[in-house]
Amino acid sequence: MKPRVALHWFRRDLRLEDNHGLYRALSEHEQVLPLFIFDTTILDKLEDKHDRRVDFIHHTLTDLHQRLVEVGSGLHVEHGRPLDVWKRLLGTFDVTAVVVNHDHEPYGIARDNEITALVKAHGIPFRSFKDISIFERSEITKDDGLPYTVYTPYMRKWRDRFLPGSAAAFPSEKHLQALWKHPPRDVPSLVDIGFNKTDLVLPDTLLTDDLLRNYPLTRDLPGVEGTSNMSTHLRFGTVSVRDLVRRSVEL
């Protein structure tokens, strides 16, 4: 018999803590298999095979996999076109649900539409949740419904809409007992997916209270280490934007 699992598909949310989609999957399903796909539709376009972005993702996945192994599970990593991968997965597992966090990029939307159609044809729900931002583009608009093109009025509307509950956490890390327990397989190496190690220096995830407190005064001073260095982590979801906002509001 095929293992019966729900799948949480990691994309731009490479963390176990305060992950909205992962929280939903773990709290609403009995057995959850974490999944990541090295998407060849994207990777094949990268001419430089010493790509720091790929190296960063691979390093993050390796760490994520080890943390999952420690609780008796593991990260299921695939390599290929998402549609082909999902066809294989549906042949390997009895999939009860697919859970993701929103991807707003044009390619991501088209890809998700394709996978949604595939799994729904098999009677499987595809559920997507807000995770990479506090508000989505449709939530902060001008009075006529059009998007802002000037930052200051957008910022004012954002602040007006923000309430204490807007950055509430989704404690996914407290529900790891719902992960599917299975003998883990190794994460493919960089060479396995056609890439090589780089001179990547991993940015620290530590953001001190002093830096946050002084950020308005130091962020524009090139001679001071006053910026957050969080851009890479926010881009790939290795930190929670909600956690950063909560900390900033509390200071």
Side-chain angles (χ1 to χ4, degrees):
M1 292 181 61
K2 295 188 291 187
R4 184 174 175 82
V5 295
L7 284 105
H8 174 75
W9 183 8
F10 285 102
R11 289 96 67 85
R12 290 183 57 186
D13 57 332
L14 304 180
R15 67 186 187 282
L16 298 181
E17 295 79 18
D18 192 11
N19 182 317
H20 190 176
L22 181 61
Y23 170 80
R24 294 285 186 147
L26 293 171
S27 60
E28 298 173 11
H29 299 278
E30 291 184 3
Q31 293 194 117
V32 177
L33 176 63
L35 167 73
F36 183 86
I37 300 173
F38 278 110
D39 186 345
T40 53
T41 309
I42 297 172
L43 298 183
D44 288 351
K45 296 177 182 178
L46 302 178
E47 296 182 2
D48 184 0
K49 300 308 176 183
H50 293 80
D51 191 292
R52 293 187 185 89
R53 293 165 297 182
V54 179
D55 197 2
F56 178 87
I57 292 170
H58 186 268
H59 185 281
T60 300
L61 294 177
T62 302
D63 179 68
L64 193 61
H65 175 64
Q66 184 56 45
R67 293 181 61 193
L68 291 168
V69 167
E70 290 172 0
V71 294
S73 186
L75 182 64
H76 187 92
V77 179
E78 294 276 358
H79 179 226
R81 291 179 58 247
L83 185 62
D84 296 334
V85 169
W86 275 101
K87 288 177 179 177
R88 294 199 300 268
L89 291 169
L90 293 178
T92 303
F93 299 99
D94 178 5
V95 179
T96 59
V98 178
V99 184
V100 302
N101 287 310
H102 298 340
D103 187 336
H104 300 292
E105 298 293 330
Y107 169 72
I109 293 172
R111 175 204 60 210
D112 285 358
N113 287 340
E114 190 174 46
I115 304 306
T116 298
L118 172 68
V119 300
K120 284 191 173 181
H122 288 76
I124 301 166
F126 185 102
R127 305 177 64 207
S128 186
F129 298 94
K130 178 173 66 173
D131 186 71
I132 65 171
S133 60
I134 301 299
F135 296 111
E136 296 188 330
R137 63 187 67 184
S138 61
E139 295 180 285
I140 306 294
T141 61
K142 294 188 290 185
D143 292 340
D144 59 6
L146 294 175
Y148 283 100
T149 56
V150 178
Y151 174 72
T152 299
Y154 170 84
M155 176 267 292
R156 289 171 179 158
K157 177 69 74 67
W158 195 101
R159 287 182 171 177
D160 287 343
R161 292 283 176 86
F162 184 81
L163 299 171
S166 300
F170 295 94
S172 43
E173 67 280 4
K174 296 182 180 180
H175 296 269
L176 300 183
Q177 70 276 4
L179 290 166
W180 180 47
K181 305 302 189 294
H182 65 285
R185 66 182 195 180
D186 292 337
V187 174
S189 68
L190 276 172
V191 173
D192 290 336
I193 63 171
F195 286 81
N196 299 292
K197 283 285 187 182
T198 71
D199 59 355
L200 173 72
V201 177
L202 290 170
D204 200 336
T205 58
L206 177 64
L207 192 57
T208 67
D209 287 348
D210 283 344
L211 190 148
L212 276 174
R213 192 176 293 109
N214 295 316
Y215 183 77
L217 304 174
T218 59
R219 64 186 177 88
D220 291 328
L221 302 177
V224 176
E225 293 288 340
T227 58
S228 69
N229 295 313
M230 287 291 109
S231 58
T232 301
H233 292 298
L234 289 169
R235 170 66 179 83
F236 295 108
T238 47
V239 298
S240 163
V241 65
R242 290 180 295 274
D243 179 58
L244 295 183
V245 169
R246 288 194 302 271
R247 289 185 57 200
S248 299
V249 170
E250 291 167 0
L251 288 176

